[in-house]
Amino acid sequence: VAPKLSRSAIRKNVLLMSMCFSLNHACVTTVIGLASSELGDTLGGVSVGVLYLMYTLTAMVGATGIVEKVGTKRALVTGAWAYCFYVGSFLLAILWESGEWGFCMAGSLLGGTAAGWLWTAQGAYFSVAVELHVDATQRGETTELLSKNAAEIAEEKTKVSAQLAGLFSMCYLGCEVGVKILSFGVLLAPGGSTFLFVVLTIIACVSSCGLSYIVQLEPKTSVEGGKPAWHSAFGALELLFTDRKMILLYPAEMAYGFFIAFVNYYAASKILDEYLSEASIPLLGSLISLVAAAVSMPFSSAAITYGKAPLMVGGLLALLLDMIVFTFLSDHTLGNWAILVPMYTVYGLARAVFEGQNKAILQDFFPQQGAAWSANFILSSGIAGGLGFILFPYLSKLAITTICSGTSFLGILGFILAQRLYEHEVAENLQKADFKGKSIVTGTGDAP
């Protein structure tokens, strides 16, 4: 039996996992941003499309089963190494142009498939870390269980999820900024993009090695015991169709996916590149990540003090506000630093919520189903992002902004309804726990 970890040991493992995972993923997002410019529009677009397709399909079917079968640590390590092959495929494609299609398709198929279980494993690892951290808090500095009632334990779980989500968000977004800045500098050095892909491949491999040093966190209890393998493989879909909270959260998750597609397609090509310069695209993209990284821990503190719901609604309102401005101002008017910097800053605040407290909320809502909620997080935002990248080039600006703003508005309504269901479930569980405790003490009642 693995020894019980202290709170500090659990936090250190979450920090190490977050840093290595984030560095690895930052290398992937960097090469995705360079796909079209380095490989051409056709190969670049197809390779990214295949990556997202496999990513979404794996999250929908198979990812939860893989994570539950091999464990979160092995799933993280193997997924990260597969990501390394995706990053390295760009280097191979540049060095051997005759085989560029083969290298890129192989990298996209393998990297996309692995990404589905990599992100699912990240969510599952986070979920178990929250559970074990709360358990360690109850034990205190000894092996004896401290006396805490159900309400105090529930409050402790929401506090820990906010703290660890803020930690992950800060690492994830901070590494994204760091790798982008590094890439900008490397591109100016001799060797250009070829040297950059070498550097990114090395960083991805080193970060994958780092994941080998995290501790495999084992949940206190297993909710999947005795269930057939096919059942675990469809864990994401089971959660989606059996728990109303999950389907109610889909519009909120999809709102962020659509906005990512809007920023990277419409805003980048029709506004920034047209009225500012090509260099403004990565610059404002870095601003989003920088703002989000800077406010991740303050948002974590705010969630502990005021609750996560105001932050979640505020993040969706930020998206809605940005989209209203994009709708009613012409592209020519929008092509101004004085307007775009505040708008991208607002989006950075929303991104911090999406990458941080949004996941803490999912953990609070589905505490025993870390792999399943993580897979649904991928599925919902991935479907929206994929549809956005595919459809937006053929739609008018008004149609695009209507989709984005409408989804944000539905996201607010859906989250409020899901939050009410969650609060009702918590109240019922606390009432049952209180009744069970009184029954045990007095020797009355039907508590087992």
Side-chain angles (χ1 to χ4, degrees):
V1 179
K4 292 183 177 181
L5 299 176
S6 65
R7 289 173 295 177
S8 61
I10 293 170
R11 286 195 296 269
K12 287 176 182 177
N13 270 279
V14 172
L15 177 61
L16 177 60
M17 182 277 292
S18 300
M19 286 298 298
C20 294
F21 178 95
S22 301
L23 279 172
N24 185 275
H25 191 263
C27 294
V28 173
T29 58
T30 300
V31 298
I32 287 175
L34 296 170
S36 294
S37 61
E38 295 298 328
L39 304 176
D41 290 339
T42 302
L43 177 55
V46 171
S47 66
V48 174
V50 170
L51 179 78
Y52 272 89
L53 175 64
M54 297 308 299
Y55 164 79
T56 304
L57 287 176
T58 307
M60 181 170 63
V61 179
T64 54
I66 291 172
V67 173
E68 288 163 8
K69 181 69 175 178
V70 306
T72 53
K73 177 180 177 178
R74 287 182 180 176
L76 283 166
V77 172
T78 55
W81 276 111
Y83 252 0
C84 293
F85 184 77
Y86 175 73
V87 176
S89 69
F90 280 73
L91 176 61
L92 295 174
I94 288 180
L95 295 177
W96 290 281
E97 291 187 14
S98 60
E100 60 180 6
W101 274 90
F103 290 130
C104 289
M105 288 302 99
S108 295
L109 286 169
L110 179 59
T113 302
W117 81 66
L118 176 65
W119 273 99
T120 301
Q122 182 273 323
Y125 196 88
F126 171 82
S127 181
V128 176
V130 171
E131 179 185 359
L132 296 184
H133 193 287
V134 172
D135 183 52
T137 301
Q138 288 180 265
R139 293 197 313 269
E141 299 302 323
T142 70
T143 57
E144 294 184 11
L145 192 67
L146 298 180
S147 177
K148 285 197 174 188
N149 60 39
E152 290 173 325
I153 294 173
E155 182 181 354
E156 181 67 22
K157 286 183 178 179
T158 61
K159 177 181 177 181
V160 172
S161 67
Q163 291 173 335
L164 297 186
L167 179 64
F168 174 79
S169 178
M170 181 184 67
C171 293
Y172 179 75
L173 296 162
C175 288
E176 186 176 293
V177 174
V179 172
K180 283 182 178 179
I181 294 174
L182 174 65
S183 300
F184 180 76
V186 172
L187 283 172
L188 298 177
S193 57
T194 302
F195 182 47
L196 173 61
F197 290 137
V198 171
V199 172
L200 292 176
T201 302
I202 292 173
I203 294 174
C205 290
V206 171
S207 61
S208 298
C209 289
L211 284 171
S212 301
Y213 292 94
I214 65 174
V215 174
Q216 169 65 33
L217 300 182
E218 299 290 350
K220 292 191 299 178
T221 57
S222 174
V223 296
E224 295 294 335
K227 294 184 178 179
W230 66 264
H231 188 281
S232 295
F234 289 88
L237 295 179
E238 182 191 19
L239 178 61
L240 176 61
F241 293 117
T242 58
D243 195 317
R244 289 180 296 171
K245 298 193 300 298
M246 190 72 256
I247 193 65
L248 285 171
L249 290 174
Y250 256 57
E253 309 301 332
M254 294 181 74
Y256 285 99
F258 279 129
F259 208 89
I260 289 171
F262 176 84
V263 168
N264 286 280
Y265 164 66
Y266 190 91
S269 62
K270 304 296 183 182
I271 300 175
L272 273 61
D273 191 35
E274 185 73 22
Y275 296 101
L276 295 179
S277 66
E278 186 178 6
S280 67
I281 298 174
L283 187 62
L284 285 171
S286 297
L287 174 64
I288 294 171
S289 302
L290 184 62
V291 170
V295 301
S296 289
M297 292 311 294
F299 276 7
S300 175
S301 299
I304 293 172
T305 304
Y306 304 106
K308 303 182 184 79
L311 286 171
M312 188 67 172
V313 173
L316 291 165
L317 282 174
L319 295 183
L320 184 58
L321 174 63
D322 261 8
M323 202 48 59
I324 290 173
V325 175
F326 275 116
T327 301
F328 289 100
L329 294 184
S330 67
D331 290 351
H332 177 74
T333 304
L334 288 166
N336 187 304
W337 287 101
I339 295 176
L340 289 172
V341 168
M343 290 181 67
Y344 273 65
T345 299
V346 170
Y347 176 47
L349 299 175
R351 178 106 190 270
V353 175
F354 177 64
E355 302 293 357
Q357 297 312 309
N358 172 44
K359 294 177 182 176
I361 287 171
L362 288 167
Q363 169 60 22
D364 292 344
F365 283 13
F366 316 104
Q368 299 299 320
Q369 297 163 294
W373 70 246
S374 185
N376 273 285
F377 167 81
I378 298 166
L379 185 60
S380 54
S381 57
I383 288 175
L387 286 175
F389 280 112
I390 294 171
L391 298 178
F392 286 179
Y394 303 98
L395 300 178
S396 66
K397 177 185 176 182
L398 180 60
I400 295 172
T401 55
T402 299
I403 291 172
C404 293
S405 57
T407 312
S408 299
F409 180 72
L410 290 175
I412 295 172
L413 295 181
F415 170 71
I416 291 173
L417 292 175
Q419 178 71 18
R420 288 184 176 179
L421 285 175
Y422 167 69
E423 291 172 353
H424 178 70
E425 290 174 0
V426 170
E428 282 190 339
N429 291 335
L430 291 178
Q431 188 176 25
K432 291 178 182 178
D434 184 54
F435 173 72
K436 182 186 292 186
K438 288 180 179 179
S439 300
I440 293 173
V441 172
T442 62
T444 61
D446 299 322

